[in-house]
Amino acid sequence: MSAQIISGKEVSGQVRERLKKDVEQMKLQDPNFRPGLVVLQVGDRDDSNLYISMKLKAAAEIGINATHMRLPKTATEEEVLHSITEVNENSSVHGLIVQLPLDSNHKMDTEKVTNAVAPEKDVDGLTSINAGKLSRGDLGDCFIPCTPNGCMELIRQTGVSVAGKRAVVIGRSKIVGAPMHDLLLWNHATVTTCHSKTADLPGEVGKADILVVGIGKAEMVKGEWIKKGAVVIDCGINHIPDETKASGKRVVGDVHYTSAKEQAGFITPVPGGVGPMTVAMLMANTVLSAKRFLESHRPGKWNISYTKLNLRKPVPSDIVISRSCVPKPIDCLAREVGLLSDEVELYGKTKAKVQLSIMKRLQAQPDGKYVVVTGITPTPLGEGKSTTTIGLVQALGAHLKLNVFACVRQPSQGPTFGIKGGAAGGGYSQVIPMEEFNLHLTGDIHAITAANNLVAAAIDARMFHESTQTDKALYNRLVPLNGEQRNFSPIQINRLKKLGIEKTDPSTLTEEEITRFARLDMDPSSVTWQRVLDTNDRFLRKITIGQSPTEKGYTREAQFDITVASEIMAVLALTTSLQDMRQRLAKMVVATSRSGQPITTEDLGVSGALTVLMKDAIKPNLMQTLEGNPVFVHAGPFANIAHGNSSILADKIALKLVGPDGFVVTEAGFGADIGMEKFFNIKCRYSGLRPHVVVLVATVRALKMHGGGPTVTAGMPLPKEYIEENLQLLEKGCSNMRKQIENAQHFGVPVVVAVNGFKTDTDAELDLVCSMAKAAGAFDAVRCSHWAEGGAGAVALGQAVQRASESPSKFQFLYDLELPIADKIRIIAQKIYGADDIELLPDAQHKVELYTKQGFSNLPICMAKTHLSLSHEADRKGVPTGFILPIRDIRASVGSGFLFPLVGTMPTIPGLPTRPCFYDIDLDPETEQVNGLF
């Protein structure tokens, strides 16, 4: 009786149908996901082209995104290896095949090239690592070469059990024979490998229950050699003369098919047997690789290691603690939290930028829980919001084993060398390395400085040129001849459209249109854009520019701000994409024309260049805490003239990475009346995010100050009232905490009070604060000792935040954007500060009218007020009442998207004290270690 034919075409069709369903299932998990395959070919061999076209066709049928990467015959080995590396690092590719042979004019080391393929993408199973795993029996952790894998699938189709059978493999190639031997062995067959040196080959074949032949010799194995009823798998493809065929030849295998099928129980034909299975199993390996990728990169599934703290008492200085912990390599941390290698740009070993492309990859994933850390009205010393933010993150992550990200502002370099020192948290709750955090980081602030000052230079240069040239001369220089023709740049086309001039040919403008286009006609007294520097320098608060003779008497008074006060910093913090940043940068208003029209950076023609300068700064910076938790450090806008919060982009990316059960903890600058109010009314308005919990940081010393305690001065010893128990003073000061809890409740978000303990606080004082916080309506109030104990000292806080995040949250904004400007200011003053009313002084009243006329009245409000009191007077502590809030002036940050009323005077560049911090800062030339930084 003739053998049953094992049809590779039929079995491969079944495999492909199964793979189609697998791909559809992956798309249900992530609609944007498709398995990716790259076939890399060197040269242009006809046979290779045929094989590749078969692979691409099969991939398309299954739903695999396959790419044919062609390199010319002139490609060198180095160029081939470079191409492989690029594919290895491309997270959208899950399988990489190097088509063999390599058809190059240059000598190629095939082994080196195939081994350059990342083992996790080696769907051909040819790398030494995959071959080694197969030989050791690690079948679940490798890729099996496609032809042997296809052979095994065909054997399974017969229903014959491999276990316990005698199997003979003829041939020992790396692609078929050797892996086939290993595969049969680990499926529990007793395997013999035969080759050209084997004595009595017919005798060995005759013992085989399962025979796999891949020796490359046409019809070498005869039917009479084969054991009756054996399974015969023929991997050979050979051509022999056949005059009956149009080509004069036909394809045969390594087995003499006609005689063998009379002996065998099952046999594969050639063609139509193993060949179709090879392509099918290649597709199966690609789908398997994609499945493994999805599983290992499932958002919210972190495999993170934490750093154990070696706590010392007394607590050493911040810099000593920072240096006592060795940070994890940042690329390792990135992998732990689900970032892909091509989504991370390394800046050394301890910091990196994260590509915005991750937002597209994770867009279908649910967000985690969103927590904002704020505080009561602080003392000049600060009350530990940053320290609490980091301590809470360490508690939730390292101790409660939840996915958690911290998102904090980048500190200005100015105060680092001035009076404040570093700003990375403190004690055992810090961002590390401290030096990197407080100095240049990845250069974002420098990029903002360059972009801001480019605008300033453009403003004065434009006013100068307009004042010294005729309309025609100005126009000819703005639209210069390029060869024989003038052309508008794209940004100039935008200006024409804004002016209502629908023309694109510079020669067709009328004289009146030329004047309107060429002259911005800025009123020098209306210029609101200042130059910036990231250094504390009091002598730049008021300057005169243009004193050189070359400026022909064009001088004006100006000033410098510190870089973090630049509107570009606020734009960076509030932007939601590269396109959004481009639009915001274009909308920034720098002056008003003499006719009362707002002049923007787009009018100046500089907005595109600003986007180029900011293209890297928009990417969040990844760092870590002392205990190894991830931290995004991104953007650092002022908390008075701007909104004082880190970037929306960092928060959005972090919320996707932590997954639905994880937490993102961010910090709002100053007290709840300033930073938190702006977080809700400005940041959440633009981000569309809704917070789950407010953590309100309170300290005994600050509450005593609000109860009437003496003045606290930075650098001076604390008065005895703050270091001795005084419950009466403390209870009176808790009124401020009560008011700030109420402020958070205006937004419908549960409040957890974190009582940041100091060694001078007594148990009775800490208990009093907790009980009064709960009585005021806080969801919970807990003591914290994270400064001295790291995350372990904030575990109770972490548990309280967890519980609060599960309670109902009815988030709402404080005011409607459509209200008049004055009404929005009044609502903030009355509900948040406790004022009786507001008073618009003449300049402010004029700005209300101007901005309403210019169409900016529907922007949110960003109050610029002292952070040291709920009122406008810094020395009024507790909860001031019976006051009217004076609004001195109002300014517009149109690109950022808010108006900022000025309550009193706001210094926008600090000065240096008599003894700045830089006296203590130096570099050890031997170790390159920074000394004296806080």
CSV table of all heavy atoms in Angstrom, one decimal, residues 148-184:
chain,number,residue,atom,x,y,z
A,148,PRO,N,13.4,23.0,10.1
A,148,PRO,CA,13.2,21.9,11.1
A,148,PRO,C,11.8,22.1,11.8
A,148,PRO,O,11.1,21.1,12.1
A,148,PRO,CB,14.3,22.1,12.0
A,148,PRO,CG,15.4,22.8,11.2
A,148,PRO,CD,14.7,23.7,10.3
A,149,ASN,N,11.5,23.3,12.1
A,149,ASN,CA,10.2,23.6,12.8
A,149,ASN,C,9.0,23.1,11.9
A,149,ASN,O,8.1,22.5,12.4
A,149,ASN,CB,10.1,25.1,13.1
A,149,ASN,CG,9.2,25.4,14.3
A,149,ASN,OD1,8.7,24.4,14.9
A,149,ASN,ND2,8.9,26.6,14.5
A,150,GLY,N,9.1,23.4,10.6
A,150,GLY,CA,8.1,23.0,9.6
A,150,GLY,C,8.1,21.5,9.5
A,150,GLY,O,7.0,20.9,9.5
A,151,CYS,N,9.2,20.8,9.6
A,151,CYS,CA,9.3,19.4,9.5
A,151,CYS,C,8.5,18.8,10.7
A,151,CYS,O,7.8,17.8,10.6
A,151,CYS,CB,10.7,18.9,9.5
A,151,CYS,SG,11.6,19.3,8.0
A,152,MET,N,8.8,19.4,11.9
A,152,MET,CA,8.1,18.9,13.1
A,152,MET,C,6.6,19.0,13.0
A,152,MET,O,5.8,18.1,13.5
A,152,MET,CB,8.6,19.6,14.4
A,152,MET,CG,10.0,19.2,14.8
A,152,MET,SD,10.1,17.4,15.2
A,152,MET,CE,9.0,17.3,16.6
A,153,GLU,N,6.2,20.1,12.4
A,153,GLU,CA,4.7,20.4,12.3
A,153,GLU,C,4.1,19.3,11.3
A,153,GLU,O,3.0,18.8,11.6
A,153,GLU,CB,4.5,21.8,11.7
A,153,GLU,CG,3.0,22.2,11.7
A,153,GLU,CD,2.4,22.4,13.0
A,153,GLU,OE1,3.1,22.7,14.0
A,153,GLU,OE2,1.2,22.2,13.1
A,154,LEU,N,4.9,18.9,10.3
A,154,LEU,CA,4.4,17.9,9.4
A,154,LEU,C,4.3,16.5,10.0
A,154,LEU,O,3.4,15.7,9.8
A,154,LEU,CB,5.3,17.9,8.1
A,154,LEU,CG,5.2,19.1,7.2
A,154,LEU,CD1,6.3,19.0,6.1
A,154,LEU,CD2,3.9,19.2,6.5
A,155,ILE,N,5.3,16.2,10.9
A,155,ILE,CA,5.4,15.0,11.6
A,155,ILE,C,4.2,14.9,12.5
A,155,ILE,O,3.5,13.9,12.6
A,155,ILE,CB,6.7,14.8,12.3
A,155,ILE,CG1,7.9,14.6,11.4
A,155,ILE,CG2,6.6,13.6,13.3
A,155,ILE,CD1,9.2,14.8,12.0
A,156,ARG,N,3.9,16.0,13.2
A,156,ARG,CA,2.7,16.1,14.1
A,156,ARG,C,1.4,15.8,13.4
A,156,ARG,O,0.5,15.2,13.9
A,156,ARG,CB,2.6,17.4,14.8
A,156,ARG,CG,3.5,17.5,16.0
A,156,ARG,CD,3.2,18.8,16.9
A,156,ARG,NE,3.8,20.0,16.3
A,156,ARG,CZ,5.0,20.4,16.5
A,156,ARG,NH1,5.8,19.8,17.3
A,156,ARG,NH2,5.4,21.5,15.9
A,157,GLN,N,1.3,16.2,12.1
A,157,GLN,CA,0.1,16.0,11.3
A,157,GLN,C,-0.2,14.6,11.0
A,157,GLN,O,-1.3,14.2,10.8
A,157,GLN,CB,0.2,16.8,10.0
A,157,GLN,CG,0.2,18.3,10.2
A,157,GLN,CD,-1.2,18.8,10.6
A,157,GLN,OE1,-2.2,18.3,10.2
A,157,GLN,NE2,-1.2,19.8,11.5
A,158,THR,N,0.9,13.7,11.1
A,158,THR,CA,0.7,12.3,10.8
A,158,THR,C,0.0,11.6,12.0
A,158,THR,O,-0.6,10.5,11.8
A,158,THR,CB,2.0,11.6,10.6
A,158,THR,OG1,2.8,11.6,11.8
A,158,THR,CG2,2.8,12.3,9.5
A,159,GLY,N,0.1,12.2,13.2
A,159,GLY,CA,-0.5,11.5,14.3
A,159,GLY,C,0.5,10.6,15.0
A,159,GLY,O,0.2,10.0,16.0
A,160,VAL,N,1.7,10.4,14.4
A,160,VAL,CA,2.7,9.5,14.9
A,160,VAL,C,3.4,10.2,16.1
A,160,VAL,O,3.9,11.3,15.9
A,160,VAL,CB,3.7,9.1,13.8
A,160,VAL,CG1,4.9,8.3,14.4
A,160,VAL,CG2,3.0,8.3,12.7
A,161,SER,N,3.5,9.6,17.2
A,161,SER,CA,4.2,10.2,18.4
A,161,SER,C,5.7,10.1,18.2
A,161,SER,O,6.2,9.0,17.8
A,161,SER,CB,3.8,9.4,19.7
A,161,SER,OG,4.6,9.9,20.7
A,162,VAL,N,6.4,11.1,18.4
A,162,VAL,CA,7.8,11.2,18.2
A,162,VAL,C,8.5,10.5,19.4
A,162,VAL,O,9.6,9.8,19.3
A,162,VAL,CB,8.3,12.6,18.1
A,162,VAL,CG1,9.9,12.7,18.1
A,162,VAL,CG2,7.8,13.3,16.9
A,163,ALA,N,8.0,10.6,20.6
A,163,ALA,CA,8.6,10.1,21.8
A,163,ALA,C,8.9,8.6,21.7
A,163,ALA,O,8.0,7.8,21.3
A,163,ALA,CB,7.7,10.4,23.0
A,164,GLY,N,10.1,8.2,22.0
A,164,GLY,CA,10.5,6.8,22.0
A,164,GLY,C,10.8,6.2,20.6
A,164,GLY,O,11.3,5.1,20.5
A,165,LYS,N,10.6,7.0,19.5
A,165,LYS,CA,10.9,6.5,18.2
A,165,LYS,C,12.4,6.6,17.9
A,165,LYS,O,13.1,7.5,18.4
A,165,LYS,CB,10.1,7.3,17.2
A,165,LYS,CG,8.5,7.1,17.3
A,165,LYS,CD,8.1,5.7,17.0
A,165,LYS,CE,6.6,5.6,16.9
A,165,LYS,NZ,5.9,5.9,18.2
A,166,ARG,N,12.8,5.8,16.9
A,166,ARG,CA,14.1,5.9,16.3
A,166,ARG,C,14.0,6.9,15.2
A,166,ARG,O,13.2,6.7,14.3
A,166,ARG,CB,14.7,4.6,15.8
A,166,ARG,CG,15.2,3.7,16.9
A,166,ARG,CD,15.8,2.5,16.3
A,166,ARG,NE,16.5,1.6,17.3
A,166,ARG,CZ,17.7,1.8,17.7
A,166,ARG,NH1,18.4,2.8,17.2
A,166,ARG,NH2,18.2,1.0,18.6
A,167,ALA,N,14.8,8.0,15.2
A,167,ALA,CA,14.8,9.0,14.2
A,167,ALA,C,16.2,9.1,13.6
A,167,ALA,O,17.2,9.0,14.3
A,167,ALA,CB,14.4,10.4,14.7
A,168,VAL,N,16.2,9.2,12.2
A,168,VAL,CA,17.5,9.4,11.5
A,168,VAL,C,17.4,10.7,10.7
A,168,VAL,O,16.4,10.9,10.0
A,168,VAL,CB,17.8,8.2,10.6
A,168,VAL,CG1,19.0,8.5,9.7
A,168,VAL,CG2,18.1,6.9,11.4
A,169,VAL,N,18.4,11.5,10.9
A,169,VAL,CA,18.6,12.8,10.2
A,169,VAL,C,19.8,12.6,9.2
A,169,VAL,O,20.9,12.4,9.7
A,169,VAL,CB,18.7,14.0,11.1
A,169,VAL,CG1,18.9,15.3,10.3
A,169,VAL,CG2,17.6,14.1,12.0
A,170,ILE,N,19.5,12.8,7.9
A,170,ILE,CA,20.6,12.8,7.0
A,170,ILE,C,21.0,14.2,6.6
A,170,ILE,O,20.2,14.9,6.1
A,170,ILE,CB,20.3,12.0,5.7
A,170,ILE,CG1,19.8,10.5,6.1
A,170,ILE,CG2,21.5,11.9,4.8
A,170,ILE,CD1,19.4,9.7,4.9
A,171,GLY,N,22.2,14.6,7.0
A,171,GLY,CA,22.7,16.0,6.8
A,171,GLY,C,22.9,16.6,8.1
A,171,GLY,O,22.2,16.4,9.1
A,172,ARG,N,23.9,17.5,8.2
A,172,ARG,CA,24.2,18.2,9.5
A,172,ARG,C,24.4,19.7,9.3
A,172,ARG,O,25.2,20.3,10.0
A,172,ARG,CB,25.5,17.5,10.1
A,172,ARG,CG,26.6,17.4,9.2
A,172,ARG,CD,27.8,16.7,9.8
A,172,ARG,NE,28.9,16.5,8.8
A,172,ARG,CZ,30.0,15.9,9.0
A,172,ARG,NH1,30.3,15.4,10.2
A,172,ARG,NH2,30.9,15.7,8.1
A,173,SER,N,23.7,20.2,8.3
A,173,SER,CA,23.9,21.7,8.1
A,173,SER,C,23.3,22.4,9.3
A,173,SER,O,22.5,21.9,10.1
A,173,SER,CB,23.1,22.1,6.9
A,173,SER,OG,21.7,22.1,7.1
A,174,LYS,N,23.8,23.7,9.5
A,174,LYS,CA,23.3,24.5,10.6
A,174,LYS,C,21.9,24.9,10.4
A,174,LYS,O,21.2,25.3,11.4
A,174,LYS,CB,24.2,25.8,10.7
A,174,LYS,CG,25.6,25.5,11.1
A,174,LYS,CD,26.4,26.8,11.1
A,174,LYS,CE,27.9,26.5,11.5
A,174,LYS,NZ,28.7,27.7,11.5
A,175,ILE,N,21.4,24.9,9.2
A,175,ILE,CA,20.0,25.4,8.9
A,175,ILE,C,19.0,24.3,9.0
A,175,ILE,O,17.9,24.5,9.5
A,175,ILE,CB,20.0,26.0,7.5
A,175,ILE,CG1,20.9,27.2,7.4
A,175,ILE,CG2,18.6,26.4,7.1
A,175,ILE,CD1,21.0,27.8,6.0
A,176,VAL,N,19.4,23.0,8.7
A,176,VAL,CA,18.4,21.9,8.7
A,176,VAL,C,18.9,20.8,9.6
A,176,VAL,O,18.3,20.5,10.6
A,176,VAL,CB,18.1,21.4,7.3
A,176,VAL,CG1,17.1,20.3,7.3
A,176,VAL,CG2,17.6,22.5,6.4
A,177,GLY,N,20.0,20.1,9.2
A,177,GLY,CA,20.4,18.9,9.9
A,177,GLY,C,20.6,19.0,11.4
A,177,GLY,O,20.0,18.2,12.2
A,178,ALA,N,21.5,19.9,11.8
A,178,ALA,CA,21.9,20.0,13.2
A,178,ALA,C,20.7,20.4,14.1
A,178,ALA,O,20.4,19.7,15.1
A,178,ALA,CB,23.0,21.0,13.4
A,179,PRO,N,19.9,21.5,13.7
A,179,PRO,CA,18.8,21.8,14.5
A,179,PRO,C,17.7,20.7,14.5
A,179,PRO,O,17.0,20.5,15.5
A,179,PRO,CB,18.3,23.1,13.9
A,179,PRO,CG,18.9,23.3,12.6
A,179,PRO,CD,20.2,22.5,12.7
A,180,MET,N,17.5,20.0,13.4
A,180,MET,CA,16.5,18.9,13.3
A,180,MET,C,16.9,17.8,14.3
A,180,MET,O,16.0,17.3,15.0
A,180,MET,CB,16.5,18.4,11.9
A,180,MET,CG,15.3,17.5,11.6
A,180,MET,SD,13.8,18.4,11.5
A,180,MET,CE,12.8,17.6,12.7
A,181,HIS,N,18.2,17.5,14.4
A,181,HIS,CA,18.6,16.5,15.4
A,181,HIS,C,18.2,17.0,16.8
A,181,HIS,O,17.6,16.2,17.6
A,181,HIS,CB,20.1,16.4,15.3
A,181,HIS,CG,20.7,15.5,16.4
A,181,HIS,ND1,21.0,16.1,17.6
A,181,HIS,CD2,21.1,14.2,16.4
A,181,HIS,CE1,21.5,15.1,18.4
A,181,HIS,NE2,21.6,14.0,17.7
A,182,ASP,N,18.5,18.2,17.1
A,182,ASP,CA,18.2,18.7,18.5
A,182,ASP,C,16.7,18.7,18.8
A,182,ASP,O,16.3,18.4,19.8
A,182,ASP,CB,18.8,20.2,18.6
A,182,ASP,CG,20.3,20.2,18.6
A,182,ASP,OD1,20.9,19.2,18.9
A,182,ASP,OD2,20.8,21.3,18.2
A,183,LEU,N,16.0,19.1,17.8
A,183,LEU,CA,14.5,19.2,17.9
A,183,LEU,C,13.9,17.8,18.2
A,183,LEU,O,13.0,17.7,19.1
A,183,LEU,CB,13.9,19.9,16.7
A,183,LEU,CG,12.5,20.5,16.8
A,183,LEU,CD1,12.4,21.5,17.9
A,183,LEU,CD2,12.2,21.2,15.5
A,184,LEU,N,14.3,16.9,17.4
A,184,LEU,CA,13.8,15.5,17.6
A,184,LEU,C,14.2,14.9,19.0
A,184,LEU,O,13.5,14.3,19.7
A,184,LEU,CB,14.3,14.6,16.5
A,184,LEU,CG,13.6,14.8,15.1
A,184,LEU,CD1,14.5,14.2,14.0
A,184,LEU,CD2,12.2,14.2,15.1
